[in-house]
């Protein structure tokens, strides 16, 4: 059996996947800045590097899962308004869940309106 590769489909798939990965990485970097800039110092136990990376990775997994649930990564077939709505919804839900996780890791309820 011979496998036929469609060059047009591959030219479309590679940039689309790069945009999806870049979106996920940028969201994790933004969450990482907030985690290291405010919440990590206020956690009950200091996690040093591994624990901090796990918290950021947990956010990335949550965000990715909700983006897949709400079709936020269907960049090539959805209108831009639906993509923005889906990604915003996934981000809000992921942030809320991580706020609860941070609350459980802290001694007290963390300030949602953190100032750096």
């Amino acid at each position: 059996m011979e496998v036929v590769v469609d060059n047009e489909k591959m030219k479309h798939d590679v940039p689309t996947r790069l945009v999806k990965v870049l979106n996920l990485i940028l969201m994790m970097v933004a969450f990482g800045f907030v985690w290291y800039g405010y919440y990590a110092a206020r956690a009950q136990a200091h996690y040093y590097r591994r624990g901090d990376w796990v918290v950021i990775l947990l956010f990335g997994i949550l965000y990715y899962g909700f983006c897949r649930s709400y079709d936020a990564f269907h960049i090539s077939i959805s209108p831009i308004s639906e993509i923005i709505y889906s990604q915003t919804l996934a981000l809000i839900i992921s942030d809320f869940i991580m706020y609860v996780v941070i609350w459980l890791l802290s001694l007290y309820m963390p300030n949602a309106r953190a100032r750096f």
Side-chain angles (χ1 to χ4, degrees), residues 32-110:
F33 278 128
V34 173
W35 171 255
Y36 278 115
Y38 185 78
Y39 292 114
R42 287 159 179 80
Q44 181 177 2
H46 296 285
Y47 299 105
Y48 304 103
R49 287 200 177 148
R50 287 187 189 168
D52 293 336
W53 285 99
V54 168
V55 170
I56 295 169
L57 185 65
L58 177 63
F59 170 78
I61 291 169
L62 284 170
Y63 179 70
Y64 178 76
F66 285 117
C67 280
R68 295 230 359 158
S69 297
Y70 297 123
D71 295 332
F73 289 139
H74 287 221
I75 296 169
S76 60
I77 60 175
S78 296
I80 191 80
S81 60
E82 287 183 18
I83 294 170
I84 291 171
Y85 175 73
S86 300
Q87 288 192 2
T88 303
L89 188 61
L91 183 63
I92 289 171
I93 293 170
S94 299
D95 281 341
F96 176 75
I97 292 172
M98 288 308 298
Y99 182 75
V100 172
V101 168
I102 292 169
W103 184 14
L104 294 172
L105 292 174
S106 300
L107 289 172
Y108 54 90
M109 188 169 190

